[in-house]
mmCIF file of all heavy atoms in Angstrom:
data_model
loop_
_atom_site.group_PDB
_atom_site.id
_atom_site.type_symbol
_atom_site.label_atom_id
_atom_site.label_comp_id
_atom_site.label_asym_id
_atom_site.label_seq_id
_atom_site.Cartn_x
_atom_site.Cartn_y
_atom_site.Cartn_z
ATOM 1 N N LEU V 284 -4.310 -7.132 -21.582
ATOM 2 C CA LEU V 284 -2.939 -6.738 -21.951
ATOM 3 C C LEU V 284 -2.378 -7.524 -23.126
ATOM 4 O O LEU V 284 -1.266 -7.235 -23.610
ATOM 5 C CB LEU V 284 -2.016 -6.901 -20.744
ATOM 6 C CG LEU V 284 -2.289 -5.967 -19.569
ATOM 7 C CD1 LEU V 284 -1.314 -6.221 -18.425
ATOM 8 C CD2 LEU V 284 -2.201 -4.508 -20.013
ATOM 9 N N GLN V 285 -3.141 -8.512 -23.584
ATOM 10 C CA GLN V 285 -2.672 -9.341 -24.708
ATOM 11 C C GLN V 285 -2.355 -8.466 -25.913
ATOM 12 O O GLN V 285 -3.079 -7.498 -26.172
ATOM 13 C CB GLN V 285 -3.781 -10.333 -25.073
ATOM 14 C CG GLN V 285 -3.254 -11.628 -25.593
ATOM 15 C CD GLN V 285 -3.324 -12.718 -24.531
ATOM 16 O OE1 GLN V 285 -4.347 -12.984 -24.033
ATOM 17 N NE2 GLN V 285 -2.233 -13.333 -24.186
ATOM 18 N N HIS V 286 -1.312 -8.800 -26.620
ATOM 19 C CA HIS V 286 -0.942 -8.111 -27.861
ATOM 20 C C HIS V 286 -0.716 -6.604 -27.659
ATOM 21 O O HIS V 286 -1.094 -5.805 -28.504
ATOM 22 C CB HIS V 286 -2.014 -8.321 -28.947
ATOM 23 C CG HIS V 286 -2.381 -9.760 -29.112
ATOM 24 N ND1 HIS V 286 -1.474 -10.745 -29.447
ATOM 25 C CD2 HIS V 286 -3.554 -10.424 -28.942
ATOM 26 C CE1 HIS V 286 -2.081 -11.922 -29.464
ATOM 27 N NE2 HIS V 286 -3.332 -11.757 -29.167
ATOM 28 N N THR V 287 -0.145 -6.231 -26.540
ATOM 29 C CA THR V 287 0.268 -4.827 -26.356
ATOM 30 C C THR V 287 1.713 -4.730 -26.851
ATOM 31 O O THR V 287 2.590 -5.391 -26.275
ATOM 32 C CB THR V 287 0.172 -4.415 -24.871
ATOM 33 O OG1 THR V 287 -1.148 -4.642 -24.422
ATOM 34 C CG2 THR V 287 0.554 -2.969 -24.675
ATOM 35 N N PRO V 288 1.983 -3.917 -27.861
ATOM 36 C CA PRO V 288 3.366 -3.840 -28.355
ATOM 37 C C PRO V 288 4.343 -3.422 -27.253
ATOM 38 O O PRO V 288 4.029 -2.517 -26.463
ATOM 39 C CB PRO V 288 3.288 -2.749 -29.444
ATOM 40 C CG PRO V 288 1.833 -2.710 -29.849
ATOM 41 C CD PRO V 288 1.044 -3.092 -28.646
ATOM 42 N N GLY V 289 5.476 -4.104 -27.173
ATOM 43 C CA GLY V 289 6.512 -3.735 -26.205
ATOM 44 C C GLY V 289 6.339 -4.403 -24.848
ATOM 45 O O GLY V 289 7.176 -4.275 -23.975
ATOM 46 N N LEU V 290 5.217 -5.116 -24.660
ATOM 47 C CA LEU V 290 4.938 -5.708 -23.332
ATOM 48 C C LEU V 290 4.787 -7.222 -23.508
ATOM 49 O O LEU V 290 4.039 -7.693 -24.344
ATOM 50 C CB LEU V 290 3.618 -5.075 -22.843
ATOM 51 C CG LEU V 290 3.119 -5.356 -21.444
ATOM 52 C CD1 LEU V 290 2.308 -4.175 -20.925
ATOM 53 C CD2 LEU V 290 2.246 -6.595 -21.434
ATOM 54 N N ARG V 291 5.568 -7.955 -22.708
ATOM 55 C CA ARG V 291 5.542 -9.416 -22.798
ATOM 56 C C ARG V 291 4.844 -10.028 -21.600
ATOM 57 O O ARG V 291 5.170 -9.718 -20.447
ATOM 58 C CB ARG V 291 6.958 -9.961 -22.879
ATOM 59 C CG ARG V 291 7.035 -11.478 -22.971
ATOM 60 C CD ARG V 291 8.492 -12.006 -22.903
ATOM 61 N NE ARG V 291 8.522 -13.446 -23.052
ATOM 62 C CZ ARG V 291 8.322 -14.319 -22.064
ATOM 63 N NH1 ARG V 291 8.075 -13.888 -20.839
ATOM 64 N NH2 ARG V 291 8.355 -15.627 -22.300
ATOM 65 N N LEU V 292 3.869 -10.898 -21.857
ATOM 66 C CA LEU V 292 3.162 -11.594 -20.762
ATOM 67 C C LEU V 292 3.868 -12.896 -20.458
ATOM 68 O O LEU V 292 4.598 -13.436 -21.281
ATOM 69 C CB LEU V 292 1.703 -11.839 -21.168
ATOM 70 C CG LEU V 292 0.884 -10.592 -21.431
ATOM 71 C CD1 LEU V 292 -0.526 -10.943 -21.894
ATOM 72 C CD2 LEU V 292 0.808 -9.704 -20.188
ATOM 73 N N VAL V 293 3.636 -13.415 -19.252
ATOM 74 C CA VAL V 293 4.231 -14.692 -18.845
ATOM 75 C C VAL V 293 3.339 -15.813 -19.377
ATOM 76 O O VAL V 293 2.118 -15.761 -19.259
ATOM 77 C CB VAL V 293 4.324 -14.767 -17.306
ATOM 78 C CG1 VAL V 293 4.879 -16.127 -16.866
ATOM 79 C CG2 VAL V 293 5.177 -13.645 -16.765
ATOM 80 N N THR V 294 3.955 -16.821 -19.993
ATOM 81 C CA THR V 294 3.198 -17.977 -20.482
ATOM 82 C C THR V 294 2.925 -18.927 -19.322
ATOM 83 O O THR V 294 3.854 -19.325 -18.622
ATOM 84 C CB THR V 294 4.002 -18.735 -21.562
ATOM 85 O OG1 THR V 294 4.550 -17.775 -22.432
ATOM 86 C CG2 THR V 294 3.149 -19.710 -22.304
ATOM 87 N N ARG V 295 1.661 -19.260 -19.089
ATOM 88 C CA ARG V 295 1.350 -20.178 -17.996
ATOM 89 C C ARG V 295 1.109 -21.567 -18.574
ATOM 90 O O ARG V 295 0.267 -21.753 -19.443
ATOM 91 C CB ARG V 295 0.073 -19.726 -17.249
ATOM 92 C CG ARG V 295 0.035 -18.267 -16.795
ATOM 93 C CD ARG V 295 0.882 -17.816 -15.684
ATOM 94 N NE ARG V 295 1.102 -18.559 -14.506
ATOM 95 C CZ ARG V 295 1.140 -18.029 -13.259
ATOM 96 N NH1 ARG V 295 0.844 -16.757 -13.046
ATOM 97 N NH2 ARG V 295 1.467 -18.764 -12.236
ATOM 98 N N PRO V 296 1.884 -22.566 -18.101
ATOM 99 C CA PRO V 296 1.718 -23.924 -18.644
ATOM 100 C C PRO V 296 0.343 -24.503 -18.303
ATOM 101 O O PRO V 296 -0.239 -24.165 -17.278
ATOM 102 C CB PRO V 296 2.807 -24.732 -17.945
ATOM 103 C CG PRO V 296 3.507 -23.844 -17.016
ATOM 104 C CD PRO V 296 2.909 -22.476 -17.072
ATOM 105 N N THR V 297 -0.166 -25.362 -19.193
ATOM 106 C CA THR V 297 -1.501 -25.901 -18.981
ATOM 107 C C THR V 297 -1.531 -26.867 -17.785
ATOM 108 O O THR V 297 -2.591 -27.096 -17.209
ATOM 109 C CB THR V 297 -2.026 -26.655 -20.238
ATOM 110 O OG1 THR V 297 -1.007 -27.606 -20.606
ATOM 111 C CG2 THR V 297 -2.269 -25.713 -21.373
ATOM 112 N N GLU V 298 -0.372 -27.410 -17.380
ATOM 113 C CA GLU V 298 -0.333 -28.347 -16.243
ATOM 114 C C GLU V 298 -0.498 -27.610 -14.923
ATOM 115 O O GLU V 298 -0.679 -28.238 -13.879
ATOM 116 C CB GLU V 298 1.026 -29.069 -16.196
ATOM 117 C CG GLU V 298 1.307 -29.977 -17.371
ATOM 118 C CD GLU V 298 2.056 -29.248 -18.500
ATOM 119 O OE1 GLU V 298 1.973 -27.998 -18.578
ATOM 120 O OE2 GLU V 298 2.698 -29.948 -19.289
ATOM 121 N N GLU V 299 -0.393 -26.272 -14.974
ATOM 122 C CA GLU V 299 -0.341 -25.489 -13.735
ATOM 123 C C GLU V 299 -1.725 -24.947 -13.368
ATOM 124 O O GLU V 299 -2.392 -24.340 -14.174
ATOM 125 C CB GLU V 299 0.605 -24.312 -13.991
ATOM 126 C CG GLU V 299 0.812 -23.395 -12.791
ATOM 127 C CD GLU V 299 1.506 -22.065 -13.189
ATOM 128 O OE1 GLU V 299 1.290 -21.596 -14.329
ATOM 129 O OE2 GLU V 299 2.205 -21.519 -12.348
#
Side-chain angles (χ1 to χ4, degrees):
L284 293 179
Q285 212 101 57
H286 311 301
T287 303
L290 186 151
R291 180 186 182 276
L292 298 177
V293 177
T294 314
R295 310 288 320 221
T297 53
E298 295 91 337
E299 181 193 32

